[in-house]
Amino acid sequence: MNIVTPVNELTPKDFATDQEVRWCPGCGDYAILKAMQRTLADIGAKRENTVFVSGIGCAARFPYYMATYGFHTIHGRAPAFGTGIKLANPDLDVWVVTGDGDALSIGGNHLLHVLRRNVNLQVLLFNNEIYGLTKGQYSPASRAGTRSPSTPWGSIENPVSAAALALGAGGRFVARSVDTMQKHLGEMFKRAHDHNGTSFVEIFQNCIVFNNDIFADFTAKDIADEAQIILEHGQPLIFGKERTRGLRVRPGFFELEAVTIGEDGVEEKDILVHDETNRALAGMLALMEPPTMPVALGVLYCYPTPSYEDGVKDHFDEAKAHNPGGDINKLLRRGHTWTVTG
Amino acid sequence: MRRDQLGSAVVRFAGDSGDGMQFAGSQFTQSTALSGNDLATFPDFPAEIRAPAGTTFGVSAFQINFGDDTIQTPGDACDMVVVMNPAALKVELPELLPGGLVVVDTGTFTERNLHKAHYESSPLEDGTLDAYRVIKLDISAMTLEAVKSMDLGKKESLRCKNMWALGFVYWMYARDRQPTLDWLNEKFVKKPELAEANITALNAGHAFGETAEMPHDIHGFSIGKADIEPGQYRTVTGAEALSWGLVCGANLIGLQMTFCSYPITPATPILHILSNLMEYDVLTFQAEDEIAAICSAIGASYAGSLGVTSSSGPGIALKTEAMGLAISAELPLLIINSQRAGPSTGLPTKTEQSDLYQAVYGRNADSPLVVISARSPADCFDVAIEAIQLSTKYMTPVILMTDGYIGNAAEPWRIPDMDTYEKKPVQFSTDPEGFKPFLRDEKTLARPWAIPGTPGLEHRIGGLEKDYDTGHISYDPANHQRMTDMRAAKINGIANDIPPQGVEEGGTQGKLAVVGWGSTYGAINRAVSTVRGDGLDVAHIHLRHIWPMAANLGELLAGFDQVLVPELNTGQLVTLIRDKFLIDAVSLSKVSGQPFKISEIEAAIRERLESQT
């Protein structure tokens, strides 16, 4: 038997640029950048075929640090630029990098529509629940009561759940990870990359300056095992340090509850098995919050259908089969014409 | 049979939005073109899709001017109007010349319809029409009679009224019915009973004209053939010519076009036309909003396609931030503005030229780009090709100005042979040796177009200021000054690449230059040619290039004692001219949502020249 070793010509370093990284020391973005450079090397990505597109914000500086093609555009519109790039050249591998203000506030409309259309690109939402680059105002992802320079009395609005929004928009791939979970993050990037259609990955990212430890209620080392659940397709929804906690459907209700195996008559067979093709389950997982429920991380939903570009290609093929040639002189002479003789 | 010989005629069809007046008008246009007349049309319809029947605000009209000499406008006033109900009569009567012909469908002059049109008594009987020649026909009843053998309901039968009226007008002007018969058969290929009913109505209207006795000794008219340059012709609307110009322009530079747009009146017909041309490598994308439309177009250009977006003033306003990015990133991009009357929602279906400031100045910061404008429906074709060439050659956004009037109006067009156009395929950068994304061409100052997918040319661009050479982010004060100066110099330099400004009518110096741009071309040209016939020393200069202006324009204007600038706005080009050349140019302004009449421009010219003596 021949053993074929995949040859990776490029290393993570080959995906780094010579530009000085300008994020604050300790920013979660460094870890995400590292995970991405490693992932691209692992999957054998071609630099010339890869495009990072961003809007405005801290996260939007990401393309400058990737030795691929990159387009740093305007606030909130990166999905629209990404769509145009894929329309022009569907063979390019496009990663849209955005933040919670960029994607959920000014760019909410474009996020909705890129997901609905199912354009074959990856959207990475760096969620730090705050506006960083403009110095700390509350964002649409900030929890109610967030005190910030623009909300000295605490914010009044309820936050949007990015993953629930992505599912509601018709997203076909919705995943979550955390900046510090290097291995898991890389796996999510790979899964997102492999998916045909829009892949949406929400990354909980710590802003050390304006919103430090905002995710500590489920990422702090001492409580993480009890406050988060790592989803794996086909595996029971079990979590906890002792692996005794699990999710089941509360009897008589259409909702999930966190239970302990061996207590109150709960047995292992009562625990739900994760099915990433089940949208209703994904919706419930997306909305789980501490302290009563663990935060769901991993692939919440993956159910591929043909992408927007697949549809465009079909129409091109059909139109060209109908009217081969594409002679522009014929186009101008379609319909009624007449000849004037001298 | 006796026919009265005419040099030209202006006919207007008017009825309810649902009466099919636009169909009747465009069929009459087709047949008139085939008869060898020159022509110009003006579809004038309400913003409402189907306003309540019988109301004055629901009146839809189509005007055509045709004749045996050059026709450049739809005509100042009508020789004949065909009105399908009292509301149409109320709205259109002011358009009719004294002594003009009114063809009235009397079958619709019911108490209720008169009331809806705010008539206290029937204008057919109370002397309202005394100054005109009136042909009263119960078109409704005669249509019902004609199609009664067909198994159609009353409502569907009455839908054939427009064809009855058209058949009658065909008889009046001795037009050939065959093209319309062919069109009906094609349109109703899946509903042959409707084709038959419409054809029957058309023939009935025609037969009525041939056999019935007309009042006022009306015998029908005949109009001689115009002296037209030999060649193959068709009629085109501005929207068609512009769409085809885009397809041909993209073809000449060897690129796929990615046309990204959001529906808006009156720009949408371009999206509709291009959506049907996928076999010509046209990809259309209906975006979620105006901003997404321009951003996806820029994304497409970045990736090596020809990105085009199209809208009208309010939508263009939403696109301005993204235009700034295309200017900063130096990417080709075409932005089409089908202008309409404003501000805000304004008069969506009425025409205006009031977005010139928006095009030239309407962005944050010092953000120059190219502004180019079309003067007529057929001119849209050439302007689109030129806009594409400038945009790709200079790596810059180009705004192409047209308007609602040009977009919907039709004129005969001598179809060009595309094989005679020079093909200039775009050259993308491919050589990594010494590559820098913003290393520019010394002559054009354009940067290279390096597209993703090209090995060795990986680079990052964006809206942050870039270093003049490397393209890396730069906050250096001197570099920003240099880049700002360069962006201005690049656009200004195009003045030396475009043709020198010519004179449409008259000499290169004289007492008065009438300077126009866009859709006022026909009215200005006719007015200038008329007053020149009277011996007045006047010239017509018409700008295609709004920004930058042709290099010789200042010198040319200096040769005239006075400059008059007619515009369908409150004086925008005139301000630009006064500012740029420090001359005392005078504005002739009109903002009624309607095109200029020739007589209005003529009067203004005479007034200028008299005030001088």
Side-chain angles (χ1 to χ4, degrees):
Chain A
M1 183 178 134
N2 289 326
I3 296 172
V4 180
T5 316
V7 179
N8 272 339
E9 290 175 4
L10 299 176
T11 67
K13 272 188 183 165
D14 293 319
F15 285 96
T17 62
D18 60 354
Q19 296 294 292
E20 202 180 323
V21 182
R22 295 186 186 208
W23 289 314
C24 307
C27 176
D29 288 355
Y30 283 93
I32 304 173
L33 179 65
K34 194 175 145 201
M36 178 56 73
Q37 288 167 346
R38 202 194 59 232
T39 301
L40 292 188
D42 287 352
I43 62 176
K46 287 183 175 166
R47 286 190 298 207
E48 69 270 21
N49 224 33
T50 306
V51 188
F52 282 87
V53 186
S54 63
I56 295 293
C58 294
R61 296 298 179 96
F62 200 89
Y64 289 112
Y65 311 134
M66 295 297 302
T68 61
Y69 283 92
F71 199 1
H72 178 210
T73 69
I74 52 178
H75 205 8
R77 321 297 175 198
F81 287 96
T83 299
I85 292 168
K86 291 293 290 190
L87 290 175
N89 185 354
D91 296 334
L92 295 172
D93 191 15
V94 174
W95 300 79
V96 169
V97 177
T98 181
D100 44 309
D102 196 56
L104 302 174
S105 197
I106 192 167
N109 195 32
H110 310 304
L111 180 65
L112 159 65
H113 292 284
V114 76
L115 287 161
R116 176 180 70 80
R117 287 192 186 103
N118 205 27
V119 180
N120 189 16
L121 49 74
Q122 295 79 248
V123 177
L124 310 180
L125 194 159
F126 297 11
N127 185 1
N128 56 17
E129 297 191 0
I130 207 80
Y131 281 92
L133 200 61
T134 51
K135 298 190 168 55
Q137 300 80 8
Y138 79 112
S139 91
S142 299
R143 292 162 214 191
T146 298
R147 286 178 190 274
S148 79
S150 58
T151 49
W153 298 93
S155 63
I156 299 164
E157 301 159 28
N158 287 312
V160 63
S161 160
L165 181 115
L167 287 166
R172 292 281 174 170
F173 180 96
V174 177
R176 268 183 186 157
S177 192
V178 179
D179 53 6
T180 49
M181 296 168 65
Q182 275 294 300
K183 191 162 174 287
H184 186 260
L185 190 55
E187 281 165 20
M188 292 305 107
F189 289 164
K190 278 179 210 166
R191 284 289 311 271
H193 180 264
D194 289 346
H195 176 79
N196 182 41
T198 308
S199 316
F200 179 81
V201 183
E202 179 185 19
I203 304 157
F204 297 109
Q205 173 247 323
N206 191 45
C207 174
I208 196 166
V209 174
F210 295 111
N211 217 13
N212 196 22
D213 289 338
I214 191 67
F215 301 118
D217 57 350
F218 67 93
T219 58
K221 268 196 179 134
D222 51 337
I223 57 151
D225 288 336
E226 306 304 321
Q228 51 181 244
I229 179 166
I230 310 292
L231 311 173
E232 277 184 67
H233 183 59
Q235 296 299 314
L237 289 160
I238 289 178
F239 63 105
K241 198 170 184 184
E242 309 298 332
R243 306 291 291 166
T244 54
R245 301 275 288 155
L247 301 178
R248 70 165 183 178
V249 176
R250 184 195 301 274
F253 296 86
F254 189 62
E255 65 182 21
L256 298 180
E257 66 173 342
V259 291
T260 306
I261 298 163
E263 279 181 17
D264 302 325
V266 175
E267 298 176 43
E268 201 161 335
K269 69 176 174 52
D270 298 328
I271 303 301
L272 275 173
V273 171
H274 183 46
D275 174 4
E276 65 184 24
T277 67
N278 184 328
R279 193 160 162 216
L281 176 62
M284 287 193 280
L285 292 171
L287 292 173
M288 296 195 305
E289 281 177 346
T292 53
M293 299 291 275
V295 170
L297 302 172
V299 178
L300 281 75
Y301 185 57
C302 176
Y303 194 92
T305 51
S307 69
Y308 187 84
E309 304 93 297
D310 293 336
V312 171
K313 189 183 175 300
D314 287 349
H315 287 178
F316 259 124
D317 291 347
E318 208 176 314
K320 289 190 175 181
H322 253 326
N323 267 317
D327 177 355
I328 50 177
N329 268 322
K330 275 193 192 148
L331 165 66
L332 305 183
R333 286 158 181 80
R334 273 189 191 175
H336 279 290
T337 68
W338 67 96
T339 302
V340 175
T341 47
Chain B
M1 195 205 104
R2 186 181 141 195
R3 284 189 176 273
D4 297 331
Q5 187 74 25
L6 298 175
S8 70
V10 178
V11 175
R12 193 166 167 103
F13 297 87
D16 248 343
S17 298
D19 276 345
M21 292 296 96
Q22 302 302 325
F23 280 130
S26 55
Q27 284 306 306
F28 190 79
T29 303
Q30 194 72 256
S31 189
T32 295
L34 291 170
S35 306
N37 300 137
D38 197 10
L39 65 90
T41 71
F42 178 39
D44 191 8
F45 43 82
E48 292 75 17
I49 301 298
R50 288 269 162 96
T55 57
T56 50
F57 54 89
V59 171
S60 174
F62 187 102
Q63 183 169 320
I64 173 167
N65 183 5
F66 54 107
D68 62 10
D69 201 356
T70 308
I71 299 288
Q72 288 177 327
T73 75
D76 282 8
C78 301
D79 299 300
M80 172 169 144
V81 292
V82 179
V83 293
M84 304 303 281
N85 67 8
L89 181 66
K90 182 124 196 179
V91 172
E92 304 301 344
L93 205 54
E95 307 291 326
L96 190 61
L97 285 166
L101 261 180
V102 197
V103 178
V104 188
D105 176 9
T106 56
T108 59
F109 278 63
T110 60
E111 191 98 347
R112 191 174 143 78
N113 281 341
L114 288 167
H115 180 71
K116 277 199 218 166
H118 305 293
Y119 274 122
E120 310 251 307
S121 59
S122 174
L124 302 180
E125 281 137 31
D126 66 4
T128 303
L129 302 177
D130 283 357
Y132 309 97
R133 294 179 292 158
V134 186
I135 302 179
K136 294 181 198 171
L137 305 170
D138 192 342
I139 296 176
S140 301
M142 287 191 279
T143 303
L144 287 176
E145 177 66 23
V147 303
K148 76 172 177 209
S149 64
M150 278 149 237
D151 197 19
L152 295 176
K154 190 179 174 195
K155 206 174 157 192
E156 285 206 308
S157 300
L158 280 174
R159 284 234 172 105
C160 303
K161 264 186 355 179
N162 62 336
M163 288 298 122
W164 197 101
L166 182 63
F168 179 70
V169 180
Y170 275 176
W171 166 78
M172 289 202 84
Y173 292 94
R175 305 280 93 140
D176 186 6
R177 276 167 289 161
Q178 195 57 45
T180 300
L181 302 182
D182 295 344
W183 174 76
L184 286 167
N185 278 320
E186 195 181 324
K187 180 176 164 71
F188 294 115
V189 68
K190 286 186 181 147
K191 289 181 178 169
E193 69 281 7
L194 290 185
E196 196 192 341
N198 277 287
I199 288 169
T200 305
L202 183 87
N203 288 336
H206 192 267
F208 180 86
E210 281 192 323
T211 52
E213 197 128 317
M214 293 292 148
H216 306 292
D217 200 23
I218 292 165
H219 304 285
F221 307 104
S222 98
I223 292 174
K225 288 186 187 229
D227 186 16
I228 294 171
E229 199 183 341
Q232 193 180 6
Y233 281 81
R234 66 175 307 139
T235 59
V236 276
T237 65
E240 286 166 343
L242 183 45
S243 304
W244 297 338
L246 293 174
V247 175
C248 292
N251 183 284
L252 292 171
I253 59 167
L255 289 190
Q256 175 193 286
M257 171 177 24
T258 306
F259 181 92
C260 310
S261 184
Y262 182 77
I264 183 171
T265 302
T268 321
I270 302 171
L271 171 63
H272 295 174
I273 294 165
L274 290 172
S275 296
N276 284 297
L277 299 178
M278 283 192 104
E279 66 270 30
Y280 294 97
D281 272 332
V282 177
L283 201 168
T284 56
F285 175 64
Q286 182 177 314
E288 59 268 29
D289 58 31
E290 297 283 0
I291 298 172
I294 187 170
C295 293
S296 48
I298 294 171
S301 278
Y302 169 74
S305 176
L306 176 71
V308 183
T309 189
S310 162
S311 187
S312 188
I316 299 290
L318 288 166
K319 296 179 194 291
T320 49
E321 185 198 10
M323 280 184 220
L325 176 67
I327 290 167
S328 174
E330 298 183 51
L331 285 167
L333 174 70
L334 201 55
I335 303 136
I336 298 158
N337 183 354
S338 297
Q339 297 169 93
R340 68 190 212 187
S344 189
T345 309
L347 307 171
T349 58
K350 305 298 173 191
T351 200
E352 212 163 88
Q353 299 181 296
S354 43
D355 297 344
L356 184 134
Y357 285 162
Q358 183 193 43
V360 177
Y361 298 127
R363 286 164 298 283
N364 60 303
D366 293 305
S367 321
L369 47 62
V370 176
V371 183
I372 177 169
S373 70
R375 62 167 62 161
S376 73
D379 191 45
C380 287
F381 184 81
D382 299 320
V383 172
I385 291 175
E386 183 177 349
I388 287 170
Q389 286 172 349
L390 289 174
S391 178
T392 48
K393 179 173 178 184
Y394 289 91
M395 298 290 284
T396 177
V398 173
I399 295 182
L400 193 168
M401 307 291 276
T402 173
D403 60 35
Y405 165 62
I406 291 180
N408 290 314
E411 65 181 353
W413 180 47
R414 191 161 161 261
I415 310 170
D417 178 2
M418 291 315 296
D419 294 338
T420 63
Y421 282 64
E422 192 189 348
K423 288 210 167 213
K424 288 186 207 162
V426 160
Q427 301 294 325
F428 296 117
S429 296
T430 51
D431 187 2
E433 187 62 37
F435 170 78
K436 285 175 184 160
F438 282 79
L439 198 64
R440 51 198 73 250
D441 181 278
E442 278 175 20
K443 193 157 163 266
T444 61
L445 296 179
R447 77 175 188 93
W449 197 357
I451 62 172
T454 317
L457 302 191
E458 296 85 2
H459 63 279
R460 277 64 55 192
I461 61 170
L464 286 168
E465 185 62 284
K466 287 152 285 285
D467 180 77
Y468 189 90
D469 294 313
T470 62
H472 289 321
I473 300 172
S474 167
Y475 287 92
D476 178 56
N479 179 69
H480 180 56
Q481 179 79 50
R482 193 176 178 203
M483 287 296 278
T484 303
D485 295 346
M486 182 281 303
R487 284 187 282 263
K490 179 168 95 167
I491 300 302
N492 290 338
I494 295 173
N496 302 314
D497 195 13
I498 56 180
Q501 181 62 50
V503 179
E504 301 298 326
E505 194 85 29
T508 53
Q509 46 192 8
K511 288 207 170 120
L512 176 70
V514 185
V515 181
W517 68 284
S519 65
T520 53
Y521 177 83
I524 296 175
N525 201 259
R526 241 1 237 271
V528 168
S529 126
T530 305
V531 297
R532 284 181 59 78
D534 295 345
L536 300 185
D537 185 9
V538 183
H540 174 203
I541 293 168
H542 212 77
L543 309 191
R544 172 184 283 188
H545 303 98
I546 306 294
W547 201 265
M549 289 171 165
N552 67 326
L553 182 60
E555 200 186 321
L556 180 62
L557 295 181
F560 293 89
D561 300 345
Q562 293 191 73
V563 173
L564 176 68
V565 184
E567 285 176 277
L568 299 174
N569 58 44
T570 54
Q572 300 191 8
L573 178 65
V574 74
T575 308
L576 229 73
I577 287 176
R578 291 173 67 97
D579 174 54
K580 199 160 158 58
F581 304 117
L582 297 175
I583 56 172
D584 190 16
V586 174
S587 171
L588 172 62
S589 158
K590 177 176 179 179
V591 280
S592 64
Q594 299 294 322
F596 271 117
K597 291 185 188 303
I598 299 166
S599 56
E600 291 166 341
I601 295 173
E602 215 182 293
I605 294 172
R606 293 187 196 278
E607 192 194 338
R608 287 315 309 163
L609 290 175
E610 275 159 24
S611 72
Q612 206 64 359
T613 48

